[in-house]
C-alpha cells in the first residue's frame, strides 16, 4: 500500500495486521483518485473508519487542506499517526479515536466536509446510520460528496434509499463497488 500521487508520492504506508480491516486496493484507490483528482485542492475531508488512513493521506498528498481521521481502534490510530509522520502530513490532520457515531457527534457544528469516505467493515450495517447522521448534522457541504466502498452494492443502495441523498455515480472494480452520494436538492 503506497501513496499514489502528490507530495508523498511513492511512500509505502504501514498497514494493519490481521483481517479486522481491509485496505482499499491500490487499483481501486488509483481509479477513485483519477475521478477526484481535479477536485481535491484546498478541500476538507473526513476519512471515517480510517484503518491505516490511506484515503485521507492520499487526499492530503494531493492538496487537501485538512483531513480528519476517525477509527475506534487504538492500533489503527497508532498506524494512522505513524503514516502521517512518515508522509510529513501531520500538520493538516486531525485524529479521533472513537466509534463512528461518537466521532460524528464530536465533529458536529465544528466542521463541514467536501468529501467523506465511508469504508466500514463489510459485515457491519452502519452506512445508513452514518449517512443519516452526516446529513442531519450538516457535516457534508452543500456540494460535497460521500463515497462508500462496499462489496454489497445492492444491500447498501436499499439501506440508503430513504436517506436524504441522491446517488450520483456507481463504479465497480472487481468485487469492490464505489457509491458516490450527494445531498438532495
Amino acid at each position: 500500500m503506497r501513496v499514489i500521487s502528490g507530495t508523498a508520492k511513492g511512500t509505502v504506508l504501514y498497514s494493519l495486521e490481521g483481517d479486522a480491516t481491509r485496505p482499499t486496493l491500490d487499483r481501486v484507490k488509483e481509479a477513485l483518485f483519477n475521478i477526484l483528482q481535479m477536485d481535491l485542492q484546498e478541500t476538507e475531508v473526513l476519512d471515517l473508519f480510517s484503518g491505516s488512513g490511506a484515503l485521507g493521506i492520499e487526499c492530503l498528498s494531493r492538496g487537501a487542506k485538512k483531513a480528519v481521521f476517525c477509527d475506534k481502534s487504538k492500533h489503527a490510530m497508532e498506524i494512522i499517526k505513524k503514516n502521517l509522520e512518515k508522509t510529513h502530513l501531520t500538520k493538516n490532520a486531525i485524529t479521533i479515536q472513537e466509534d463512528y457515531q461518537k466521532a460524528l457527534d464530536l465533529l458536529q457544528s465544528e466542521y463541514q466536509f467536501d468529501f467523506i469516505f465511508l469504508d466500514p467493515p463489510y459485515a457491519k450495517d452502519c452506512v445508513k446510520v452514518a449517512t443519516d447522521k452526516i446529513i442531519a448534522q450538516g457535516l457534508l457541504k452543500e456540494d460535497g460528496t460521500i463515497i462508500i466502498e462496499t462489496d454489497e452494492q445492492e444491500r447498501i443502495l436499499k439501506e440508503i434509499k430513504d436517506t436524504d441523498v441522491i446517488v450520483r455515480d456507481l463504479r465497480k472494480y472487481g468485487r469492490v463497488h464505489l457509491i458516490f452520494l450527494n445531498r438532495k436538492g
Side-chain angles (χ1 to χ4, degrees):
M1 190 172 45
R2 63 185 170 78
V3 180
I4 298 166
S5 188
T7 60
K9 180 179 179 177
T11 305
V12 177
L13 299 175
Y14 299 106
S15 59
L16 293 154
E17 299 296 321
D19 52 2
T21 62
R22 97 211 106 52
T24 301
L25 300 171
D26 273 353
R27 68 185 171 91
V28 174
K29 190 167 69 168
E30 193 162 347
L32 170 61
F33 284 98
N34 282 341
I35 295 167
L36 302 180
Q37 67 186 346
M38 298 305 192
D39 301 322
L40 286 172
Q41 288 296 314
E42 295 300 308
T43 57
E44 296 177 294
V45 301
L46 171 59
D47 189 355
L48 204 58
F49 311 100
S50 295
S52 66
L55 295 177
I57 288 170
E58 188 72 39
C59 289
L60 288 173
S61 179
R62 291 173 181 244
K65 72 177 170 187
K66 183 188 306 166
V68 177
F69 299 84
C70 302
D71 204 292
K72 71 178 182 179
S73 163
K74 180 182 178 192
H75 184 58
M77 249 332 116
E78 290 168 355
I79 294 292
I80 291 165
K81 289 175 182 176
K82 282 174 65 173
N83 283 332
L84 286 166
E85 288 171 17
K86 187 173 185 180
T87 56
H88 308 288
L89 296 169
T90 305
K91 72 176 177 129
N92 297 334
I94 297 167
T95 57
I96 301 173
Q97 184 188 331
E98 289 289 351
D99 169 81
Y100 77 98
Q101 291 188 63
K102 175 84 173 184
L104 292 172
D105 290 341
L106 290 170
L107 294 167
Q108 183 180 358
S109 75
E110 297 263 342
Y111 296 96
Q112 276 199 313
F113 299 98
D114 299 284
F115 294 102
I116 299 176
F117 298 96
L118 300 182
D119 187 10
Y122 284 166
K124 301 282 185 198
D125 291 333
C126 45
V127 169
K128 180 172 178 22
V129 172
T131 303
D132 282 340
K133 278 182 96 73
I134 287 164
I135 299 302
Q137 294 175 340
L139 291 167
L140 186 66
K141 289 184 180 176
E142 194 170 313
D143 58 349
T145 302
I146 298 171
I147 301 160
I148 302 167
E149 181 178 333
T150 183
D151 67 347
E152 297 182 72
Q153 176 179 291
E154 292 308 314
R155 179 180 64 85
I156 297 297
L157 292 174
K158 281 181 190 172
E159 263 185 48
I160 62 170
K161 73 178 170 71
D162 296 324
T163 304
D164 210 11
V165 294
I166 57 169
V167 177
R168 187 187 85 208
D169 198 0
L170 300 169
R171 303 287 176 113
K172 185 175 192 276
Y173 306 95
R175 60 181 288 230
V176 176
H177 298 266
L178 297 177
I179 303 170
F180 296 79
L181 306 174
N182 294 113
R183 289 169 42 174
K184 280 187 181 169

